[in-house]
C-alpha cells in the first residue's frame, strides 16, 4: 500500500492522490442497486494524459487493478470499485479542446459534462445529439464507456454513432490513437467502435473526436393519452411504419405519470394508462404533429394535445426527464432495467412487465424510448425488507428474460457492469463470450482494467 501511494505521488500532484478512507469510500460505487462494491486503496484524479499514463504504468508494475470512473451516474455497477483497487476518476480532465464548424467535430477530454458540450456547440450553431436523462451530470467519457443513448436516439442515434476517434491509454501505459477527424475513413479494423461500450475494460479514454450536426429548428411536442399500453404501442408502430422521423418518441405508463405528478405537481393525466410524447424538429413541425396526432387517434388515443410553443414543449419533456427521479420516491430503493426489444414487440414487453409486477406484488413503473424499443422498467422496493428485496431481484431477472424471449437485448444504453454479467453470457452464447474474452486478454493481458465487469 505504501509503495503504491509513493509511486503514484511521484508522477501526480499532491491533491490528485486521495487516501483518506472517509473520502475514498464515496467513490466506491455508481447509482445501481444490488451491485457489490469494494473498498479502493486510493482514488487518483489526474488532469493530463501523461498523468493517466503514469497511473497505468504504476498499476502494471505493481499488478494493482484500476477502475475508471466519470460522474458515477451509471446504473449497472460498471464504475464500482474492487477491494484494493486504484479508482481512476477522470472528472478533472474536463476541457473542450476544439469545436470546428467546418469539420463539424468537437475534440474533448473525458470529464466534459454532456450538457456543457451541448451548450458550447450550440453557441456555434451546432448540435451534439446524444442526451441521456442525466445529461446535466454525466460525462462524455462515461457516455462512451456505456455507449449511452437518450431521448433523441430515435432520429439521431446513440453515442457510438458520434465517436469518430479516440486517444486511449492502454493497460501498460501506452497511448493508442484510433479513428479519424475526417467525415469518412475505413483504414483497418474499427478499434474506435470496439472501445465504445467497453466500460473501461480495454483502455482509458483520454480524448475523443466527436461528430456534430447543424443545429435543428426548435422542436414541438405532442402528448397523446391512451387507454392501454397496447394502443399506445400500436400508435408507435404505425408512426414508424408510415415513415415519420420524430426527434423524440417517448412513453410513460400510469405509474410513472402518477409519480411525476406527486413529485412535481405537473398536472399530467393520471387516469390514462399510457402517455405518448412525440416531437418533431422539422421546418414545419406543426404539420408533422398533425399527421402523427391523426395516427394516434386512429390507434385509440383518448386525447391528443399538441404543444403550442417551445416553452410548453419543454415542460412536457421535463416531465419525461423526471420519470426516474420520481419513481425513486415511491419506495426507498429502485432497480432500473434497460431492456430493448424490436418495436413490433413493444406492447408485449410492457404488458409482460405489468404481469411480472402483479406476480411479485411490486410497483414497477415503465418509461421508454418507445421509438427505438428501449424500455426502462423501474422496480420499486424496500432494500431493508429481505423478502421484498428478493422479489425485486427475481422480478428484474424475469424482465430481462422476457426481453430476450421477445428478440431483444439486456441493455440498450446502460451497459452490463456488475448487474447483468450473468445475462450477458446468456445473450452472447458460449462462442460469443469466448471471443470477447479473447479481445479482453489482447488489450489487458493482466486483467487489471475494471475487473469483474462484463464477464
Amino acid at each position: 500500500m505504501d509503495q503504491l501511494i509513493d509511486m503514484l505521488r511521484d508522477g501526480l500532484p499532491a491533491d490528485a492522490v486521495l487516501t483518506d478512507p472517509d473520502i475514498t469510500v464515496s467513490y466506491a460505487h455508481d447509482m445501481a442497486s444490488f451491485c457489490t462494491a469494494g473498498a479502493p486503496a486510493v482514488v487518483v484524479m489526474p488532469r493530463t494524459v501523461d498523468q493517466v499514463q503514469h497511473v497505468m504504468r504504476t498499476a502494471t508494475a505493481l499488478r494493482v487493478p484500476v477502475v475508471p470512473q466519470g460522474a458515477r451516474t451509471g446504473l449497472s455497477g460498471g464504475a464500482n470499485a474492487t477491494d484494493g483497487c486504484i479508482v481512476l476518476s477522470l472528472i478533472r480532465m474536463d476541457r473542450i479542446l476544439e469545436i470546428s464548424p467546418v469539420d463539424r467535430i468537437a475534440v474533448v477530454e473525458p470529464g466534459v459534462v454532456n450538457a456543457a458540450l451541448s451548450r458550447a456547440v450550440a453557441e456555434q450553431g451546432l448540435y451534439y445529439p446524444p442526451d441521456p436523462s442525466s445529461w446535466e451530470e454525466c460525462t462524455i467519457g462515461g457516455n462512451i464507456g456505456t455507449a449511452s443513448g437518450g431521448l433523441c436516439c430515435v432520429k439521431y442515434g446513440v453515442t457510438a454513432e458520434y465517436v469518430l476517434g479516440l486517444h486511449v491509454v492502454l493497460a501498460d501505459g501506452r497511448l493508442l490513437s484510433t479513428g479519424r477527424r475526417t467525415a469518412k475513413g475505413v483504414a483497418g479494423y474499427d478499434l474506435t467502435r470496439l472501445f465504445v461500450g467497453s466500460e473501461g475494460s480495454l483502455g482509458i479514454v483520454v480524448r475523443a473526436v466527436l461528430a456534430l450536426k447543424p443545429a435543428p429548428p426548435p422542436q414541438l411536442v405532442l402528448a397523446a393519452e391512451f387507454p392501454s399500453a397496447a394502443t399506445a404501442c400500436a400508435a408507435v408502430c404505425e408512426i414508424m411504419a408510415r415513415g415519420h422521423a420524430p426527434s423524440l418518441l417517448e412513453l410513460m405508463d400510469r405509474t410513472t405519470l402518477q409519480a411525476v405528478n406527486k413529485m412535481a405537481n405537473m398536472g399530467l393525466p393520471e387516469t390514462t394508462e399510457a402517455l405518448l410524447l412525440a416531437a418533431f424538429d422539422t421546418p414545419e413541425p406543426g404539420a408533422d404533429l398533425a399527421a402523427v396526432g391523426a395516427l394516434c387517434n386512429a390507434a385509440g388515443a383518448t386525447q391528443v394535445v399538441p404543444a403550442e410553443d417551445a416553452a410548453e414543449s419543454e415542460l412536457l419533456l421535463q416531465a419525461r426527464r423526471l420519470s426516474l427521479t420520481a419513481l425513486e420516491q415511491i419506495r426507498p430503493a429502485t432497480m432500473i432495467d434497460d431492456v430493448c426489444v424490436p418495436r413490433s414487440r413493444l406492447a408485449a414487453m410492457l404488458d409482460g412487465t405489468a404481469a411480472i409486477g402483479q406476480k411479485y406484488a411490486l410497483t414497477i413503473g415503465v418509461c421508454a424510448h418507445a421509438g427505438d424499443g428501449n424500455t426502462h422498467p423501474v422496480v420499486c422496493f424496500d432494500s431493508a425488507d429481505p423478502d421484498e428485496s428478493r422479489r425485486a431481484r427475481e422480478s428484474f431477472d424475469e424482465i430481462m428474460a422476457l426481453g430476450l424471449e421477445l428478440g431483444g437485448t439486456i441493455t440498450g444504453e446502460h451497459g452490463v457492469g456488475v448487474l447483468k454479467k450473468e445475462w450477458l453470457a446468456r445473450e452472447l452464447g458460449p462462442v460469443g463470450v469466448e471471443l470477447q474474452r479473447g479481445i479482453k486478454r489482447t488489450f489487458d493481458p493482466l486483467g487489471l482494467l475494471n475487473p469483474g465487469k462484463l464477464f
Side-chain angles (χ1 to χ4, degrees):
M1 175 70 167
D2 290 342
Q3 183 184 15
L4 171 63
I5 302 303
D6 289 343
M7 289 180 67
L8 288 171
R9 284 176 172 158
D10 281 344
L12 293 168
D15 68 347
V17 182
L18 310 179
T19 59
D20 184 341
D22 291 335
I23 296 175
T24 59
V25 70
S26 65
Y27 291 85
H29 57 84
D30 62 16
M31 297 178 67
S33 301
F34 285 109
C35 293
T36 58
V42 59
V43 175
V44 296
M45 308 184 79
R47 292 186 182 274
T48 68
V49 174
D50 287 344
Q51 290 172 7
V52 175
Q53 290 181 279
H54 171 73
V55 172
M56 294 312 306
R57 290 180 185 127
T58 299
T60 295
L62 299 180
R63 304 298 196 264
V64 178
V66 176
V67 176
Q69 290 183 350
R72 292 180 291 115
T73 58
L75 295 165
S76 67
N80 284 14
T82 56
D83 284 332
C85 76
I86 300 170
V87 164
L88 176 55
S89 174
L90 298 159
I91 59 173
R92 291 183 180 176
M93 296 181 69
D94 59 357
R95 295 179 299 162
I96 298 174
L97 302 171
E98 178 186 353
I99 297 173
S100 172
V102 174
D103 294 327
R104 291 184 183 171
I105 61 169
V107 182
V108 305
E109 292 182 327
V112 172
V113 171
N114 183 294
L117 174 63
S118 296
R119 293 180 181 120
V121 302
E123 292 176 359
Q124 300 198 38
L126 297 168
Y127 178 41
Y128 180 67
D131 62 341
S133 295
S134 58
W135 76 306
E136 292 281 6
E137 304 169 80
C138 64
T139 62
I140 296 298
N143 295 167
I144 291 171
T146 58
S148 61
L151 303 187
C152 67
C153 294
V154 61
K155 180 175 181 178
Y156 292 104
V158 296
T159 295
E161 295 168 66
Y162 293 88
V163 182
L164 299 178
L166 296 170
H167 285 187
V168 181
V169 175
L170 299 177
D172 59 9
R174 289 178 296 164
L175 183 63
L176 170 69
S177 177
T178 76
R180 63 194 194 278
R181 293 170 55 97
T182 55
K184 296 190 295 183
V186 293
Y189 296 126
D190 191 350
L191 295 183
T192 302
R193 276 293 185 106
L194 186 60
F195 282 104
V196 179
S198 66
E199 302 186 29
S201 66
L202 302 179
I204 310 298
V205 172
V206 291
R207 183 172 297 183
V209 181
L210 305 174
L212 304 175
K213 290 186 175 292
Q219 62 182 0
L220 281 181
V221 179
L222 170 148
E225 301 175 35
F226 289 89
S228 66
T231 51
C233 293
V236 170
C237 292
E238 194 65 15
I239 290 166
M240 302 308 292
R242 294 293 186 95
H244 293 286
S247 55
L248 173 148
L249 194 56
E250 297 288 307
L251 184 146
M252 302 162 67
D253 73 353
R254 183 175 183 176
T255 299
T256 305
L257 290 169
Q258 291 176 340
V260 171
N261 268 347
K262 184 176 180 180
M263 186 182 76
N265 297 315
M266 299 192 73
L268 296 172
E270 293 191 0
T271 56
T272 188
E273 291 299 319
L275 181 72
L276 188 66
L277 301 178
F280 285 87
D281 57 5
T282 51
E284 296 186 16
D288 291 303
L289 289 184
V292 165
L295 294 177
C296 289
N297 281 321
T302 56
Q303 187 171 7
V304 176
V305 181
E308 295 185 359
D309 53 33
E312 190 174 341
S313 294
E314 184 54 38
L315 184 64
L316 289 169
L317 297 186
Q318 183 63 16
R320 170 60 183 87
R321 291 193 177 103
L322 288 174
S323 294
L324 298 183
T325 303
L327 288 167
E328 288 171 352
Q329 311 302 311
I330 293 178
R331 300 291 284 162
T334 57
M335 290 187 72
I336 303 172
D337 219 323
D338 169 38
V339 177
C340 191
V341 297
R343 296 185 194 100
S344 58
R345 309 308 304 276
L346 187 59
M349 184 67 205
L350 267 66
D351 288 341
T353 299
I356 290 169
Q358 291 178 352
K359 174 181 176 180
Y360 287 97
L362 292 168
T363 298
I364 303 178
V366 179
C367 52
H369 308 309
D372 48 26
N374 197 172
T375 67
H376 294 308
V378 180
V379 182
C380 305
F381 66 102
D382 184 354
S383 57
D385 182 332
D387 181 66
E388 197 164 313
S389 294
R390 174 192 59 79
R391 287 184 280 125
R393 181 73 225 206
E394 291 179 7
S395 70
F396 184 89
D397 286 343
E398 285 206 21
I399 290 169
M400 283 192 287
L402 173 63
L404 291 180
E405 290 170 9
L406 294 174
T409 175
I410 61 169
T411 176
E413 56 188 6
H414 290 173
V416 175
V418 175
L419 190 61
K420 298 186 177 182
K421 287 173 58 177
E422 174 191 349
W423 288 93
L424 177 64
R426 298 191 194 189
E427 179 170 335
L428 295 180
V431 175
V433 170
E434 179 186 352
L435 289 174
Q436 296 213 14
R437 284 178 173 164
I439 293 170
K440 166 72 169 172
R441 286 192 296 270
T442 297
F443 283 89
D444 182 22
L446 298 177
L448 300 179
L449 285 168
N450 216 6
K453 316 298 166 45
L454 293 171
F455 307 110

